[in-house]
Amino acid sequence: MSKNKFSETALGVMFEGLKLYCTHFPKYALYMLFPVLGQLFGLFWVFGTTYLFVNNLDYLTQEIPMLNSFVPLMSCLLLITLPGLILWMKAFWDYLVAYGAINSMTEAAMSTCKIYDFPAYNAVVTRRAFQFIGLWLIFSLFCLVSIIPFFWVIGIIFFVYFVLIFQIFTFEEDVTPSGCFKRSLMLVKGNFAKTLAIMTVLFALTYYFLEQGISVIFDALKITQLLLGLFEGFASLIPVDGLNAVLTAAGSSQITPLDIAHSIIQQIIFFLVIGFTLPLRSIIWTMWYKNLSDRDGVPMKVTKSGRKKLDPEILKRAKDKDN
């Protein structure tokens, strides 16, 4: 099998995607730095300031009698947590935008072997923000229905069929948000098994093996032990007496603040891994989209000469940067 033919197979797409991700990892990691860490720091700010506020509430109410009233108390709590909420919302929006921007970024990396300018890739999505929000709303409704146990099997099947919606939104600008789902279904139709195989490997790699590996590194570097000391105090404020009573009646062991702290740390590691490997998943799905759309007769943004066409805004900003 020639190299070109191999790159068109599911295994070849995963191999080429992993190679591209590793080659440009510093750029992709830098791009994901704020969307991932911004959300974490925003939540730390919210829960950290809340913890300090509640922990010192007796002293504060003595020094500031006005805080004995509900409205001033909640207003004060809102004010001290507001910066964290704003930070989290901005990072969360940037994380959603990344689902489309990284596709454009990958196209540039494939075409020119360079990643020029992050704002230009973001603009591919943000200039159609309303349509993008509509796409996410439809996808969120689909996910809400899919988590109902009765729809699990159907949800998984359609999740495979709809896996290319963000690539279609990025590269086929005339398609409506609802049309992205239909177009994805048509592309995956006839390639369901291969698409499911790619999804399974990506899921196992990014949602399990890498998460387990980072957990081992955290333990070896004593980071887990350090974080346990920070989160155990916060976890002690969580009311779990009712839950522990149920667990005791059922013959199960009780949940302690240390257990909650361990769970928080695992969720942080999981979020870090999932966040920083989002480019890997987007790269592979972009390559798979290109593969299927070429077969479908609608190639991904090509010129009459057959060469890939980059977004004009990206080319303009790249030229300005070179100058």
Side-chain angles (χ1 to χ4, degrees):
M1 183 182 294
S2 67
K3 181 177 179 181
N4 186 48
K5 288 293 184 182
F6 174 72
S7 64
E8 294 178 356
T9 64
L11 181 61
V13 166
M14 287 188 286
F15 176 78
E16 292 295 328
L18 183 61
K19 184 170 71 173
L20 186 65
Y21 175 68
C22 293
T23 301
H24 297 282
F25 177 77
K27 285 285 188 180
Y28 284 118
L30 180 63
Y31 176 77
M32 294 304 301
L33 202 61
F34 176 74
V36 174
L37 297 186
Q39 289 187 71
L40 284 179
F41 284 127
L43 292 176
F44 286 161
W45 180 282
V46 171
F47 288 109
T49 53
T50 300
Y51 170 72
L52 292 174
F53 184 78
V54 172
N55 211 34
N56 296 278
L57 189 56
D58 291 339
Y59 171 77
L60 291 173
T61 52
Q62 290 178 4
E63 294 294 321
I64 311 174
M66 185 175 61
L67 293 179
N68 286 297
S69 299
F70 178 78
V71 173
L73 178 67
M74 294 307 298
S75 299
C76 182
L77 182 60
L78 178 61
L79 283 174
I80 64 174
T81 58
L82 189 59
L85 287 172
I86 294 173
L87 176 61
W88 178 84
M89 288 189 292
K90 178 62 171 68
F92 180 68
W93 169 247
D94 285 357
Y95 189 82
L96 296 183
V97 168
Y99 274 81
I102 293 175
N103 302 325
S104 183
M105 197 180 302
T106 298
E107 184 186 21
M110 292 169 62
S111 302
T112 65
C113 296
K114 294 180 181 179
I115 295 177
Y116 292 106
D117 191 3
F118 295 153
Y121 304 119
N122 289 339
V124 173
V125 175
T126 55
R127 71 184 178 209
R128 293 188 291 150
F130 289 110
Q131 294 95 320
F132 190 64
I133 293 172
L135 181 66
W136 267 109
L137 287 175
I138 298 173
F139 183 65
S140 300
L141 289 174
F142 165 72
C143 291
L144 286 174
V145 173
S146 299
I147 63 175
I148 300 173
F150 181 78
F151 295 108
W152 280 357
V153 175
I154 298 175
I156 292 172
I157 292 173
F158 276 98
F159 192 78
V160 177
Y161 279 117
F162 296 153
V163 73
L164 300 177
I165 57 173
F166 294 107
Q167 283 68 36
I168 293 166
F169 177 86
T170 303
F171 299 120
E172 300 181 25
E173 297 187 3
D174 295 332
V175 180
T176 63
S178 60
C180 291
F181 288 83
K182 181 179 179 181
R183 172 75 172 138
S184 179
L185 189 149
M186 296 304 296
L187 285 176
V188 176
K189 184 180 179 181
N191 298 278
F192 181 88
K194 294 178 181 179
T195 305
L196 178 60
I198 294 174
M199 183 179 291
T200 302
V201 172
L202 281 176
F203 183 89
L205 177 63
T206 60
Y207 284 77
Y208 181 75
F209 290 111
L210 285 176
E211 190 266 342
Q212 293 296 316
I214 298 299
S215 295
V216 171
I217 293 175
F218 268 51
D219 291 341
L221 297 177
K222 308 294 183 183
I223 298 176
T224 302
Q225 199 64 32
L226 174 64
L227 293 176
L228 280 175
L230 295 175
F231 292 130
E232 190 174 4
F234 169 76
S236 63
L237 296 177
I238 301 176
V240 294
D241 294 339
L243 179 59
N244 281 331
V246 174
L247 292 174
T248 301
S252 301
S253 57
Q254 294 189 345
I255 296 177
T256 66
L258 187 61
D259 295 328
I260 297 175
H262 270 291
S263 179
I264 293 173
I265 294 170
Q266 287 302 314
Q267 291 302 312
I268 290 173
I269 294 173
F270 180 78
F271 181 73
L272 288 173
V273 172
I274 297 306
F276 282 108
T277 56
L278 172 62
L280 173 61
R281 297 189 295 277
S282 294
I283 290 168
I284 290 177
W285 290 127
T286 296
M287 290 183 169
W288 188 235
Y289 162 79
K290 177 186 178 302
N291 189 307
L292 297 183
S293 61
D294 286 347
R295 297 183 200 175
D296 189 59
V298 184
M300 179 181 66
K301 279 189 179 177
V302 296
T303 61
K304 292 181 179 179
S305 63
R307 298 181 63 185
K308 293 172 189 169
K309 179 184 177 183
L310 284 174
D311 188 275
E313 178 67 15
I314 295 174
L315 291 175
K316 178 180 179 297
R317 296 176 71 100
K319 184 178 180 180
D320 292 342
K321 187 174 181 181
D322 289 341
N323 291 337

